[in-house]
Amino acid sequence: MVITGEPARTDEMLLEQVDTLLMAFGVRRERMRELLDDLDRLRVEAVSDDGLVRVVVDADGAVVRTEVGAAALTGPSEALGAAFTEAAREAAAAARGRCAELLALLGSHVPVAGAEAALR
C-alpha cells in the first residue's frame, strides 16, 4: 500500500518548525546583543553616607570615576579612606544587582508564535 501526500506534509511541517526556531533564535540573539551592550554601558554611582565621596563603577564593579567633596580635604585621612571604601562597595553591590537583573532577562524569552510548540 502506498500513502501519498503524507511525506510532503511532514516535510512541510518540519520546515515550518525549523523556520519558527530560526526566527526565535534570531530574536534571542538580537536581545542578547542588546543586553551585552547594556552591560558595556552600565555605570552605577554611590555616595558615602557622610557625603564626602562619590564613586562610579562599571558592570564589573571597577571604579571608573571618583569625586571628593571639599569637606573631605579638611578631615582626617582615615575618614576619607572609609568614605571611599563605603561608596565603592555600595556601588559595586548595586552594579552586581543590576547585572543580575539584566542577565536574568536572558533566561526569559520573547514569545514567538509557535516557537514553544515547535520545541516539543
Side-chain angles (χ1 to χ4, degrees):
M1 173 161 95
V2 176
I3 301 175
T4 59
E6 296 259 345
R9 172 107 172 96
T10 301
D11 289 347
E12 183 180 311
M13 289 172 50
L14 288 174
L15 286 173
E16 286 177 15
Q17 289 178 344
V18 168
D19 286 344
T20 300
L21 289 171
L22 287 173
M23 183 173 41
F25 174 74
V27 169
R28 291 197 63 139
R29 184 182 62 212
E30 181 58 32
R31 184 64 184 131
M32 183 179 295
R33 190 173 295 132
E34 291 170 3
L35 289 171
L36 290 174
D37 289 344
D38 288 347
L39 288 172
D40 284 342
R41 289 188 305 269
L42 181 70
R43 297 293 181 268
V44 178
E45 179 180 298
V47 178
S48 61
D49 286 340
D50 56 15
L52 297 178
V53 174
R54 178 182 312 272
V55 175
V56 178
V57 300
D58 64 11
D60 293 323
V63 175
V64 295
R65 189 175 78 239
T66 59
E67 296 174 15
V68 179
L73 303 176
T74 61
S77 61
E78 295 83 19
L80 183 57
F84 268 112
T85 301
E86 173 194 340
R89 284 182 178 163
E90 184 181 321
R96 281 191 304 275
R98 183 64 184 131
C99 285
E101 291 171 5
L102 289 171
L103 293 173
L105 294 174
L106 286 178
S108 65
H109 66 280
V110 178
V112 177
E116 289 185 19
L119 292 171
R120 292 185 190 134

